[in-house]
Amino acid sequence: MSEALLTSRAPGADTTAVPGASGARQFWRRLRTQRAALVAAVVVALLVLVALAAPLLTAIEGQDPTTYHPSLVDSARGGVPMGSFGGMSAEHWLGVEPQTGRDLFARLVHGARVSLGVALAATVVQLVLGVVIGVAAGLGNRWVDLLLTRIADIFVAMPLMVVALALLAVVPTSFPRPVLVALVVGLVSGWGTLAKMVRAQTLTLKQLDYVAAARLSGWGTVRIARRELLPGLAAPVITFAAILVPTNITVEAALSFLGVGVKPPTPSWGQMLTSADVWYQAAPQYLLLPAGALFVTVLALTALGDGVRTALDPRAASRLRVGTGRKREDKRRDKQEDRRKDKQEGKRESKGEVS
């Protein structure tokens, strides 16, 4: 019954919230018109490919991220890499790490696995918690809604760094550190805001006719949530997830920078920045490489998230104007306005001569 109501919507109704074959085609068509989002998608795909192929890439180079090379650093100068550009060579493509001589390329690509993996795992935890609690609050009775909303409010107001520092400091070191960081970030931050947003969307959607029809047909709460509500929540949840991933990458880097994140010898971009803060003059590439990788990753994910948001909601103007042709449109509009003014002035002059 509810499916019949879905297919009989008014022609002008917004159908982007209900995924389907036509909705997916519209989404990809809108996304393809945004050059910044396409470039960001290519960059993100390359980063993911590098992270997945990190063992293969380091095998081609002939290095690994944990082997020390003391002969490649100058102990008389405090461990500065010997040679030009931080010890770059055919054996060490990006040079070596100060003091230890570990290969920078190997640590950088393996650090991508940790940073992206932790961020994606934390995002999955946040999405599951946010959607489940938000839908339960929206469909539950008054007391369930009040309890779950107050719990979400507590986690929204909770200071992430303070709680994460406390939790990561007391957990035994035998627990896998990347898994622990992903769980702490996913359980403490992000999901509260998502749960409040999903609750508000659920309260709106459950008032629609097709949800009421499903309820009158005898469907249970779980089936209504799965068949009727979750498709309508797909667009805002995907948009929020695109924002969470770069945020989680930054949080993981900050925790590693503070020394409570991923522990050595496991490489991480934030951990590399922690060790590089005293080498920015003697070996600048040791600081610039992980910082540049973080910057490019967060920028690409942010631009891709903006493109996804705009493609899912075409009425919203994109915050990023790179490559959208806006400048060309403005120039064309200015030229048309100038021509119109010239024509009006010409008509006034001709009328004055006639009179």
Side-chain angles (χ1 to χ4, degrees):
M1 186 172 183
S2 59
E3 288 82 353
L5 286 174
L6 280 173
T7 56
S8 62
R9 286 186 172 185
D14 182 15
T15 59
T16 57
V18 182
S22 60
R25 285 195 296 268
Q26 290 178 3
F27 169 75
W28 289 117
R29 185 169 62 251
R30 293 168 186 152
L31 189 62
R32 285 197 301 267
T33 61
Q34 303 180 64
R35 298 178 185 176
L38 292 180
V39 173
V42 172
V43 173
V44 171
L46 290 176
L47 289 170
V48 172
L49 183 62
V50 167
L52 293 176
L56 177 61
L57 294 174
T58 52
I60 294 174
E61 187 195 22
Q63 304 295 334
D64 64 81
T66 58
T67 301
Y68 284 46
H69 300 92
S71 60
L72 299 178
V73 296
D74 190 354
S75 57
R77 298 172 56 197
V80 177
M82 294 187 295
S84 58
F85 303 104
M88 289 186 183
S89 62
E91 292 79 18
H92 302 278
W93 296 346
L94 296 179
V96 296
E97 187 180 57
Q99 287 189 322
T100 64
R102 291 181 293 194
D103 185 77
L104 272 183
F105 175 79
R107 294 188 66 77
L108 196 68
V109 295
H110 278 271
R113 294 168 64 92
V114 174
S115 296
L116 292 174
V118 169
L120 292 174
T123 302
V124 171
V125 174
Q126 292 164 335
L127 292 180
V128 172
L129 284 175
V131 171
V132 171
I133 292 179
V135 172
L139 293 179
N141 57 37
R142 183 166 63 92
W143 295 107
V144 172
D145 184 16
L146 181 63
L147 175 62
L148 294 179
T149 303
R150 291 297 171 265
I151 293 175
D153 289 336
I154 291 173
F155 278 89
V156 169
M158 189 175 294
L160 168 61
M161 284 299 175
V162 175
V163 177
L165 287 171
L167 292 177
L168 293 171
V170 299
V171 175
T173 56
S174 59
F175 196 90
R177 208 65 179 183
V179 177
L180 177 61
V181 173
L183 288 175
V184 169
V185 174
L187 293 174
V188 174
S189 69
W191 69 265
T193 304
L194 176 62
K196 293 169 70 67
M197 183 192 71
V198 170
R199 172 187 172 275
Q201 289 288 111
T202 301
L203 291 176
T204 301
L205 291 175
K206 76 176 186 178
Q207 304 299 327
L208 299 180
D209 292 340
Y210 66 91
V211 178
R215 190 182 296 111
L216 292 174
S217 299
W219 287 15
T221 304
V222 176
R223 188 178 182 185
I224 291 175
R226 181 172 55 88
R227 296 288 298 275
E228 307 295 347
L229 296 180
L230 289 182
L233 295 170
V237 169
I238 291 173
T239 302
F240 197 84
I243 300 173
L244 282 176
V245 176
T247 303
N248 291 336
I249 289 179
T250 307
V251 171
E252 185 278 327
L255 292 174
S256 297
F257 181 80
L258 294 174
V260 294
V262 178
K263 297 293 185 181
T266 304
S268 169
W269 290 345
Q271 180 196 115
M272 293 174 70
L273 288 174
T274 304
S275 306
D277 59 351
V278 297
W279 296 99
Y280 63 91
Q281 290 183 337
Q285 83 285 349
Y286 188 35
L287 174 66
L288 295 177
L289 288 174
L294 271 173
F295 174 78
V296 171
T297 303
V298 173
L299 179 63
L301 286 169
T302 304
L304 180 59
D306 181 84
V308 170
R309 178 190 63 83
T310 307
L312 290 172
D313 185 8
R315 295 169 298 179
S318 176
R319 294 188 297 270
L320 298 179
R321 299 299 184 184
V322 179
T324 59
R326 184 177 178 84
K327 293 183 178 179
R328 292 193 296 271
E329 293 177 3
D330 292 341
K331 290 181 179 178
R332 191 183 305 114
R333 193 179 302 110
D334 293 340
K335 290 181 179 179
Q336 292 175 354
E337 185 68 19
D338 292 338
R339 293 194 195 99
R340 186 180 64 81
K341 291 180 179 179
D342 293 339
K343 289 181 180 179
Q344 290 178 352
E345 292 177 359
K347 289 180 180 180
R348 293 195 191 104
E349 292 176 357
S350 62
K351 287 180 180 179
E353 292 176 358
V354 171
S355 61

